[in-house]
Amino acid sequence: MVQLDSGAVAEGRITRVTDFGAFVQFENGETGLVHISQIAHSFVRNIHDHVREGENVEVKVLGRDERGRLDLSIKELLEEPEEVPRPRAIGRQSPQFEAKLRSFMRDAKERGPGSGGGGKKPAGKRKK
């Protein structure tokens, strides 16, 4: 049986997956948490894309928290990519687009609500 001390590498079974991490149970009955930040080197938006309940995983023991619970990592055992991919940022629009948008918003505000033809038609007689 593997001693689960800081730095140890052990295999366990994922018993539960949450939005913040995965709980791993070992042969000796102990359970630890792999926090979502310790799943992969890249940004993990959805943990379910990386791990599944019932899956066997190899983890590294990072230590224990103040309550004695195991703090685990999967990414510490993965080869680190040369450059860690970052979430794609949305670029700024062109200055011309920004100017047109400001002009449109200003004109719409000056016209006020209901003037623009996009609202409901006035109530009246209907054609039959």
Side-chain angles (χ1 to χ4, degrees):
M1 190 174 331
V2 175
Q3 185 67 22
L4 298 174
D5 293 325
S6 185
V9 175
E11 186 173 312
R13 196 175 111 264
I14 296 176
T15 57
R16 189 167 59 134
V17 179
T18 67
D19 290 341
F20 59 85
F23 290 90
V24 177
Q25 186 170 29
F26 299 97
E27 285 181 356
N28 67 1
E30 273 196 277
T31 300
L33 173 69
V34 179
H35 187 266
I36 190 168
S37 66
Q38 292 295 321
I39 296 289
H41 290 287
S42 61
F43 178 75
V44 176
R45 186 176 308 276
N46 183 350
I47 193 169
H48 296 282
D49 293 340
H50 297 268
V51 295
R52 301 260 183 266
E53 196 170 304
E55 179 182 3
N56 286 332
V57 291
E58 193 172 48
V59 296
K60 181 175 182 178
V61 178
L62 299 177
R64 293 183 183 266
D65 67 9
E66 65 281 346
R67 293 169 63 185
R69 298 176 296 192
L70 288 169
D71 187 18
L72 308 171
S73 175
I74 292 173
K75 86 174 181 182
E76 288 288 321
L77 298 176
L78 301 175
E79 191 171 314
E80 190 170 350
E82 289 182 26
E83 185 178 316
V84 177
R86 301 219 175 246
R88 197 173 65 109
I90 298 172
R92 288 190 43 87
Q93 297 292 336
S94 71
Q96 296 87 1
F97 175 80
E98 297 280 339
K100 286 180 183 179
L101 181 60
R102 277 194 301 277
S103 174
F104 173 79
M105 296 301 287
R106 183 178 55 247
D107 291 348
K109 193 174 186 180
E110 289 171 2
R111 283 193 300 267
S115 64
K120 291 183 178 180
K121 293 186 178 181
K125 294 183 181 178
R126 294 185 185 181
K127 290 185 182 180
K128 292 185 179 182

